[in-house]
Amino acid sequence: MALILGAMAASRLFDRKLAGGLSGQSLGVCRVTGLIMSSKDTVDWLRELRDDAAVKGVLLRIDSPGGAIGPSQEIFEAVRDLSKIKPVVSSFGSVAASGGYYVAAPSTMIVANPGSLTASIGVLMEYLDVQQLIERFGIRQELLASGKNKGAGSPFKTLTPEQRTQIMTVIMDLHEQFVDDVADSRNMTRKDVQALADGRALTGRQAQRAGLVDRLGGEQEALAALKELCGLGEGTVALKEGPPDKRDYLERLLDTVQRYVPEGRWSLPSFLYRFP
């Protein structure tokens, strides 16, 4: 039993050494992709990288058009907490806009491709109004609510002027939170951020000129900048990448097929040719 326990401990130590390279040092990578509708996996991974002594800095690779405000704010807070302890460099892929930019704002450094689409600082809320359509078919909907604003946003009722005003107060409060967080994180004046916060998208090059991005370059340039901030020199450094994909094998296989096999081309030769 003692030999087994000893072997298990040695195995865990060996695994940690592999994760951190021969020097016991590594860099963390956290990827934020697609719509930001949930934060748990990303926040958990950022905390794991924060608590891992072998990880000297973190690359936050973002390819996201944004998403829900709450999850974006939770990731923002996790990145802000991490950057107080270790260098964090955000790297923008094709798009890092709205919530995608929000989560990057507190990074130690932001690196974007010249053609990355970013910024889009603002908040929107939209809903369908099908009242005239259902009335055309003789359908009438009854809405019972505890208050005059409780049913605001129902697709079956046109907003009243009072409801529209109330919803706009919510949107503008969320907008102000976004502007405040960017201004504080980027050491910019609120006035300068507000001037950019009309929802406009910017290229990476435009964002750099506006002060929203620090450097231009791709993922490798961002990684090199992170190594420099961590004092790791020019050599190869092990990467600890995540968040881990918790889907089972079949789910990941189906996702790969959907992304790489064009619709209607399910013949075996086409499948083998396009499967990575």
Side-chain angles (χ1 to χ4, degrees):
M1 179 63 70
L3 288 175
I4 293 174
L5 292 175
M8 291 172 63
S11 175
R12 286 195 296 269
L13 177 62
F14 183 67
D15 288 342
R16 286 198 294 270
K17 285 293 185 181
L18 283 179
L22 295 178
S23 65
Q25 297 181 332
S26 62
L27 294 175
V29 178
C30 180
R31 301 190 180 276
V32 179
T33 59
L35 287 174
I36 302 173
M37 301 306 292
S38 174
S39 62
K40 186 179 186 307
D41 290 346
T42 302
V43 169
D44 287 349
W45 182 245
L46 289 170
R47 288 174 178 167
E48 180 174 334
L49 296 177
R50 179 195 63 189
D51 296 339
D52 189 340
V55 174
K56 302 306 177 184
V58 175
L59 179 74
L60 186 66
R61 177 66 175 181
I62 303 171
D63 211 327
S64 168
I69 295 172
S72 298
Q73 289 181 324
E74 290 180 347
I75 298 173
F76 167 91
E77 291 169 1
V79 173
R80 181 177 59 189
D81 292 344
L82 175 61
S83 66
K84 294 176 182 178
I85 301 173
K86 303 175 181 182
V88 179
V89 174
S90 283
S91 169
F92 293 171
S94 59
V95 59
S98 194
Y101 181 79
Y102 202 156
V103 303
S107 303
T108 311
M109 179 185 296
I110 296 178
V111 181
N113 292 292
S116 297
L117 292 180
T118 186
S120 190
I121 299 171
V123 178
L124 66 83
M125 184 181 298
E126 59 184 358
Y127 76 100
L128 293 175
D129 183 348
V130 298
Q131 182 176 355
Q132 293 183 358
L133 178 63
I134 64 172
E135 288 177 351
R136 180 179 178 183
F137 290 96
I139 302 172
R140 191 167 64 89
Q141 186 252 3
E142 289 288 349
L143 176 64
L144 303 178
S146 59
K148 57 188 175 182
N149 290 318
K150 184 61 179 177
S154 167
F156 304 107
K157 296 288 185 181
T158 300
L159 286 175
T160 67
E162 185 179 7
Q163 289 173 337
R164 186 177 298 275
T165 299
Q166 192 276 328
I167 290 177
M168 279 304 302
T169 63
V170 173
I171 291 174
M172 292 311 299
D173 184 66
L174 294 172
H175 175 80
E176 297 301 320
Q177 294 177 39
F178 197 164
V179 171
D180 289 341
D181 284 339
V182 171
D184 181 64
S185 299
R186 294 295 301 168
N187 293 317
M188 298 173 65
T189 67
R190 196 179 188 289
K191 180 179 178 180
D192 287 342
V193 176
Q194 186 64 62
L196 300 167
D198 56 5
R200 76 183 74 174
L202 301 174
T203 66
R205 186 167 66 176
Q206 290 173 325
Q208 184 193 34
R209 292 170 181 167
L212 298 176
V213 164
D214 298 298
R215 294 188 187 179
L216 298 180
E219 186 172 2
Q220 291 306 309
E221 287 79 7
L223 190 59
L226 178 60
K227 290 170 64 178
E228 183 180 347
L229 287 172
C230 297
L232 295 180
E234 299 293 331
T236 301
V237 179
L239 299 180
K240 181 176 179 178
E241 301 192 46
D245 192 341
K246 297 179 180 179
R247 297 173 300 171
D248 61 34
Y249 176 78
L250 181 58
E251 288 176 319
R252 286 182 277 121
L253 176 62
L254 291 175
D255 178 67
T256 302
V257 170
Q258 290 173 353
R259 285 187 290 115
Y260 288 93
V261 179
E263 184 178 357
R265 295 189 181 183
W266 287 91
S267 64
L268 184 60
S270 176
F271 174 80
L272 291 175
Y273 175 76
R274 294 183 180 276
F275 197 77

mmCIF file of all heavy atoms in Angstrom, residues 11-31:
data_model
loop_
_atom_site.group_PDB
_atom_site.id
_atom_site.type_symbol
_atom_site.label_atom_id
_atom_site.label_comp_id
_atom_site.label_asym_id
_atom_site.label_seq_id
_atom_site.Cartn_x
_atom_site.Cartn_y
_atom_site.Cartn_z
ATOM 1 N N SER A 11 3.666 10.264 -9.365
ATOM 2 C CA SER A 11 3.002 10.494 -10.652
ATOM 3 C C SER A 11 2.393 11.884 -10.709
ATOM 4 O O SER A 11 2.490 12.582 -11.710
ATOM 5 C CB SER A 11 1.917 9.441 -10.875
ATOM 6 O OG SER A 11 1.189 9.704 -12.050
ATOM 7 N N ARG A 12 1.735 12.313 -9.601
ATOM 8 C CA ARG A 12 1.143 13.647 -9.573
ATOM 9 C C ARG A 12 2.206 14.720 -9.689
ATOM 10 O O ARG A 12 2.032 15.725 -10.378
ATOM 11 C CB ARG A 12 0.332 13.825 -8.284
ATOM 12 C CG ARG A 12 -0.983 13.067 -8.279
ATOM 13 C CD ARG A 12 -1.883 13.568 -7.156
ATOM 14 N NE ARG A 12 -1.304 13.295 -5.845
ATOM 15 C CZ ARG A 12 -1.535 12.188 -5.154
ATOM 16 N NH1 ARG A 12 -2.320 11.240 -5.646
ATOM 17 N NH2 ARG A 12 -0.988 12.016 -3.962
ATOM 18 N N LEU A 13 3.332 14.521 -9.003
ATOM 19 C CA LEU A 13 4.428 15.491 -9.086
ATOM 20 C C LEU A 13 4.970 15.554 -10.505
ATOM 21 O O LEU A 13 5.255 16.635 -11.038
ATOM 22 C CB LEU A 13 5.535 15.100 -8.103
ATOM 23 C CG LEU A 13 6.802 15.990 -8.120
ATOM 24 C CD1 LEU A 13 6.417 17.424 -7.731
ATOM 25 C CD2 LEU A 13 7.853 15.443 -7.162
ATOM 26 N N PHE A 14 5.108 14.386 -11.147
ATOM 27 C CA PHE A 14 5.617 14.341 -12.516
ATOM 28 C C PHE A 14 4.672 15.054 -13.470
ATOM 29 O O PHE A 14 5.094 15.797 -14.352
ATOM 30 C CB PHE A 14 5.805 12.890 -12.945
ATOM 31 C CG PHE A 14 6.399 12.739 -14.319
ATOM 32 C CD1 PHE A 14 7.699 13.137 -14.590
ATOM 33 C CD2 PHE A 14 5.640 12.205 -15.359
ATOM 34 C CE1 PHE A 14 8.241 13.002 -15.862
ATOM 35 C CE2 PHE A 14 6.169 12.072 -16.628
ATOM 36 C CZ PHE A 14 7.469 12.470 -16.878
ATOM 37 N N ASP A 15 3.365 14.852 -13.264
ATOM 38 C CA ASP A 15 2.372 15.526 -14.105
ATOM 39 C C ASP A 15 2.458 17.032 -13.951
ATOM 40 O O ASP A 15 2.346 17.779 -14.920
ATOM 41 C CB ASP A 15 0.962 15.054 -13.744
ATOM 42 C CG ASP A 15 0.704 13.628 -14.207
ATOM 43 O OD1 ASP A 15 1.464 13.164 -15.072
ATOM 44 O OD2 ASP A 15 -0.247 13.010 -13.688
ATOM 45 N N ARG A 16 2.658 17.508 -12.705
ATOM 46 C CA ARG A 16 2.777 18.950 -12.494
ATOM 47 C C ARG A 16 4.027 19.487 -13.165
ATOM 48 O O ARG A 16 4.033 20.583 -13.716
ATOM 49 C CB ARG A 16 2.798 19.259 -10.993
ATOM 50 C CG ARG A 16 1.455 19.112 -10.322
ATOM 51 C CD ARG A 16 1.440 19.840 -8.982
ATOM 52 N NE ARG A 16 2.361 19.219 -8.034
ATOM 53 C CZ ARG A 16 2.017 18.254 -7.202
ATOM 54 N NH1 ARG A 16 0.782 17.793 -7.201
ATOM 55 N NH2 ARG A 16 2.894 17.744 -6.365
ATOM 56 N N LYS A 17 5.106 18.737 -13.120
ATOM 57 C CA LYS A 17 6.335 19.164 -13.787
ATOM 58 C C LYS A 17 6.143 19.243 -15.284
ATOM 59 O O LYS A 17 6.629 20.158 -15.954
ATOM 60 C CB LYS A 17 7.477 18.188 -13.456
ATOM 61 C CG LYS A 17 8.025 18.344 -12.038
ATOM 62 C CD LYS A 17 8.734 19.675 -11.855
ATOM 63 C CE LYS A 17 9.385 19.782 -10.490
ATOM 64 N NZ LYS A 17 10.055 21.085 -10.303
ATOM 65 N N LEU A 18 5.405 18.267 -15.852
ATOM 66 C CA LEU A 18 5.131 18.311 -17.275
ATOM 67 C C LEU A 18 4.297 19.522 -17.630
ATOM 68 O O LEU A 18 4.535 20.203 -18.629
ATOM 69 C CB LEU A 18 4.404 17.027 -17.714
ATOM 70 C CG LEU A 18 5.259 15.772 -17.860
ATOM 71 C CD1 LEU A 18 4.370 14.607 -18.278
ATOM 72 C CD2 LEU A 18 6.391 15.969 -18.853
ATOM 73 N N ALA A 19 3.301 19.804 -16.805
ATOM 74 C CA ALA A 19 2.435 20.948 -17.072
ATOM 75 C C ALA A 19 3.208 22.243 -17.002
ATOM 76 O O ALA A 19 2.911 23.207 -17.701
ATOM 77 C CB ALA A 19 1.283 20.975 -16.066
ATOM 78 N N GLY A 20 4.232 22.298 -16.145
ATOM 79 C CA GLY A 20 5.005 23.512 -16.000
ATOM 80 C C GLY A 20 6.334 23.476 -16.709
ATOM 81 O O GLY A 20 7.165 24.369 -16.503
ATOM 82 N N GLY A 21 6.559 22.465 -17.532
ATOM 83 C CA GLY A 21 7.839 22.380 -18.208
ATOM 84 C C GLY A 21 8.896 21.894 -17.228
ATOM 85 O O GLY A 21 8.663 21.711 -16.036
ATOM 86 N N LEU A 22 10.106 21.700 -17.717
ATOM 87 C CA LEU A 22 11.188 21.207 -16.873
ATOM 88 C C LEU A 22 11.547 22.207 -15.783
ATOM 89 O O LEU A 22 12.048 21.842 -14.728
ATOM 90 C CB LEU A 22 12.414 20.904 -17.747
ATOM 91 C CG LEU A 22 12.221 19.768 -18.766
ATOM 92 C CD1 LEU A 22 13.488 19.600 -19.598
ATOM 93 C CD2 LEU A 22 11.867 18.467 -18.065
ATOM 94 N N SER A 23 11.302 23.494 -16.043
ATOM 95 C CA SER A 23 11.619 24.522 -15.061
ATOM 96 C C SER A 23 10.537 24.657 -14.007
ATOM 97 O O SER A 23 10.713 25.374 -13.022
ATOM 98 C CB SER A 23 11.801 25.873 -15.765
ATOM 99 O OG SER A 23 10.580 26.278 -16.344
ATOM 100 N N GLY A 24 9.410 23.976 -14.194
ATOM 101 C CA GLY A 24 8.312 24.113 -13.267
ATOM 102 C C GLY A 24 7.505 25.370 -13.482
ATOM 103 O O GLY A 24 6.655 25.708 -12.676
ATOM 104 N N GLN A 25 7.760 26.077 -14.585
ATOM 105 C CA GLN A 25 7.046 27.303 -14.903
ATOM 106 C C GLN A 25 6.218 27.111 -16.169
ATOM 107 O O GLN A 25 6.625 26.408 -17.086
ATOM 108 C CB GLN A 25 8.022 28.465 -15.099
ATOM 109 C CG GLN A 25 8.818 28.815 -13.849
ATOM 110 C CD GLN A 25 9.754 29.972 -14.083
ATOM 111 O OE1 GLN A 25 10.207 30.202 -15.200
ATOM 112 N NE2 GLN A 25 10.051 30.720 -13.032
ATOM 113 N N SER A 26 5.063 27.755 -16.205
ATOM 114 C CA SER A 26 4.213 27.647 -17.374
ATOM 115 C C SER A 26 3.395 28.926 -17.519
ATOM 116 O O SER A 26 3.402 29.794 -16.651
ATOM 117 C CB SER A 26 3.271 26.430 -17.260
ATOM 118 O OG SER A 26 2.403 26.592 -16.142
ATOM 119 N N LEU A 27 2.688 29.024 -18.633
ATOM 120 C CA LEU A 27 1.760 30.114 -18.880
ATOM 121 C C LEU A 27 0.364 29.526 -19.049
ATOM 122 O O LEU A 27 0.197 28.483 -19.674
ATOM 123 C CB LEU A 27 2.153 30.897 -20.135
ATOM 124 C CG LEU A 27 3.470 31.661 -20.077
ATOM 125 C CD1 LEU A 27 3.783 32.292 -21.431
ATOM 126 C CD2 LEU A 27 3.444 32.723 -18.980
ATOM 127 N N GLY A 28 -0.606 30.187 -18.503
ATOM 128 C CA GLY A 28 -1.977 29.745 -18.661
ATOM 129 C C GLY A 28 -2.611 30.348 -19.901
ATOM 130 O O GLY A 28 -2.239 31.436 -20.338
ATOM 131 N N VAL A 29 -3.539 29.624 -20.476
ATOM 132 C CA VAL A 29 -4.315 30.111 -21.620
ATOM 133 C C VAL A 29 -5.785 29.894 -21.308
ATOM 134 O O VAL A 29 -6.202 28.779 -20.973
ATOM 135 C CB VAL A 29 -3.943 29.380 -22.924
ATOM 136 C CG1 VAL A 29 -4.810 29.886 -24.085
ATOM 137 C CG2 VAL A 29 -2.468 29.556 -23.251
ATOM 138 N N CYS A 30 -6.562 30.954 -21.406
ATOM 139 C CA CYS A 30 -8.009 30.865 -21.201
ATOM 140 C C CYS A 30 -8.685 31.371 -22.459
ATOM 141 O O CYS A 30 -8.472 32.521 -22.868
ATOM 142 C CB CYS A 30 -8.435 31.695 -19.997
ATOM 143 S SG CYS A 30 -10.224 31.636 -19.666
ATOM 144 N N ARG A 31 -9.494 30.522 -23.080
ATOM 145 C CA ARG A 31 -10.148 30.881 -24.341
ATOM 146 C C ARG A 31 -11.614 31.238 -24.090
ATOM 147 O O ARG A 31 -12.353 30.476 -23.464
ATOM 148 C CB ARG A 31 -10.034 29.748 -25.351
ATOM 149 C CG ARG A 31 -8.567 29.395 -25.658
ATOM 150 C CD ARG A 31 -8.413 28.456 -26.827
ATOM 151 N NE ARG A 31 -7.001 28.159 -27.060
ATOM 152 C CZ ARG A 31 -6.174 28.920 -27.772
ATOM 153 N NH1 ARG A 31 -6.650 30.015 -28.349
ATOM 154 N NH2 ARG A 31 -4.908 28.596 -27.936
#
